[in-house]
Amino acid sequence: MIHGKKITLFLMDGTPSGRWTCELSNWTGKAYKIPRTKLKECANRAELNQAGVYFLLGRDDETGTPRVYIGEAENVFSRLCQHLEGKDFWNEVITFISKDKNLNKAHVKYLESRCHELAIAARRYKVENGNIPPQPALSEPEQAELEEFIEHVLVLVGALGHRIFEPIITTSNNSDQEEHFFFKKGNVSAEGVRTPDGFVVLAGAILNEKVSEKSLNKGIVVLRKKYSEDGKILNFKTTENILFSSPSSAADFLTGYSISGPAHWKNAEGKSLKEIEAKKEQSGD
């Protein structure tokens, strides 16, 4: 059973754009959310001079793809200051420490390794680590305790606005009870699912080979090129699930020209997404 969680946020600078701390009830861990420009102002935060795991966060300037570097350190603040010189893509960091200082070097290396593994599996963010972090040998009780720590890390990272560890389609989103929609126009065909983030085109979708760059949003043109280079499109067929902000963006991506997504995505009964949403509005659902 999933229970509700109480999260305590503290705006250290009194503004949402400044530094935050974030804590869960009955948990010894603590998160700091720090803008890059505010990092040096944390020099007097003694608890940041201990072992922890951290996430450097930014975006690709050309595609807008979110990026993350996952790291660990015995002295988090010192290590983050080094990243001010060594890495320039990030503009924010989220770091986790223990309020009772019970994390050691082996523990944070385990946290780094597991978080890296989960981020790669979710395929939400471009993970900037050059190498796969090795997982240290720990006792079974230590691993169990750290896995519980990771569960809280995943909750707080998401609550702080980053979906690093959440697959674009979760088990519940892709269950038999979740309605699937189908797109068919000419040689183009696809299956998709509504999610809390937007609309996901499932792997195996067939795209139109031609693109009308005059009518198509430039961002979609860039995505088609990028996904072809990344291997997400092979011979005009998608090789993995792809998230879009809306059904129309998904439809534009598939056809290569501007088209109404709600009017053309239809369920198994042939009802369009537009009809279904209009009916929900009328019923007040």
Side-chain angles (χ1 to χ4, degrees):
M1 179 183 295
I2 299 177
H3 299 282
K5 297 184 185 298
K6 179 182 176 182
I7 298 175
T8 301
L9 298 177
F10 176 63
L11 305 184
M12 297 166 60
D13 303 308
T15 65
S17 60
R19 298 168 296 164
W20 296 18
T21 63
C22 185
E23 299 178 62
L24 276 170
S25 296
N26 302 315
W27 183 47
T28 61
K30 183 176 182 178
Y32 274 82
K33 177 176 177 285
I34 309 168
R36 182 185 182 121
T37 55
K38 295 277 188 177
L39 180 61
K40 289 296 183 70
E41 295 179 31
C42 293
N44 63 345
R45 291 277 164 174
E47 64 183 353
L48 287 177
N49 296 318
Q50 62 172 293
V53 63
Y54 59 86
F55 307 90
L56 304 180
L57 300 150
R59 285 189 175 274
D60 186 285
D61 290 332
E62 293 185 2
T63 65
T65 302
R67 304 163 69 184
V68 62
Y69 176 87
I70 302 170
E72 55 77 24
E74 289 185 280
N75 185 315
V76 170
F77 179 73
S78 176
R79 182 58 175 151
L80 292 179
C81 287
Q82 292 175 7
H83 286 312
L84 288 174
E85 300 294 333
K87 298 184 184 298
D88 63 0
F89 79 89
W90 63 282
N91 50 45
E92 178 179 286
V93 61
I94 297 176
T95 185
F96 289 84
I97 58 169
S98 173
K99 289 182 288 187
D100 58 10
K101 300 182 179 180
N102 67 352
L103 293 176
N104 60 34
K105 181 65 173 178
H107 293 157
V108 293
K109 286 186 74 66
Y110 182 90
L111 294 175
E112 176 196 37
S113 177
R114 288 285 290 121
C115 287
H116 180 274
E117 179 182 335
L118 293 169
I120 291 292
R123 309 184 80 161
R124 282 265 194 177
Y125 281 48
K126 180 182 178 183
V127 181
E128 296 292 335
N129 296 62
N131 300 305
I132 299 175
Q135 194 172 116
L138 296 175
S139 68
E140 186 175 354
E142 285 179 305
Q143 289 188 40
E145 187 175 9
L146 290 172
E147 286 297 326
E148 185 176 359
F149 192 97
I150 289 169
E151 289 178 9
H152 296 317
V153 167
L154 304 192
V155 170
L156 291 185
V157 168
L160 290 171
H162 295 280
R163 314 291 283 278
I164 302 170
F165 305 107
E166 299 178 27
I168 60 174
I169 297 183
T170 63
T171 302
S172 58
N173 285 335
N174 201 25
S175 68
D176 293 336
Q177 296 178 349
E178 185 73 26
E179 190 163 28
H180 285 217
F181 293 88
F182 303 87
F183 188 98
K184 180 66 180 175
K185 192 166 182 65
N187 65 330
V188 178
S189 64
E191 184 176 352
V193 181
R194 271 281 204 190
T195 76
D197 297 321
F199 196 90
V200 175
V201 174
L202 303 183
I206 299 175
L207 282 66
N208 188 5
E209 295 184 17
K210 296 182 179 180
V211 173
S212 176
E213 295 193 16
K214 291 184 179 180
S215 66
L216 192 61
N217 182 293
K218 289 183 179 180
I220 298 296
V221 176
V222 171
L223 276 182
R224 270 190 161 228
K225 181 180 179 181
K226 178 181 182 301
Y227 289 159
S228 294
E229 293 172 350
D230 293 346
K232 293 183 180 181
I233 301 174
L234 188 61
N235 297 324
F236 297 98
K237 186 174 183 179
T238 60
T239 60
E240 62 182 71
N241 301 334
I242 301 177
L243 173 66
F244 295 90
S245 61
S246 69
S248 288
S249 294
D252 292 354
F253 179 83
L254 293 167
T255 59
Y257 55 83
S258 182
I259 188 172
S260 170
H264 288 85
W265 285 102
K266 299 181 179 181
N267 66 9
E269 298 174 353
K271 294 182 179 179
S272 70
L273 185 55
K274 184 177 181 180
E275 292 176 294
I276 294 170
E277 291 181 340
K279 187 175 180 180
K280 286 183 178 180
E281 287 183 10
Q282 292 173 2
S283 64
D285 291 346

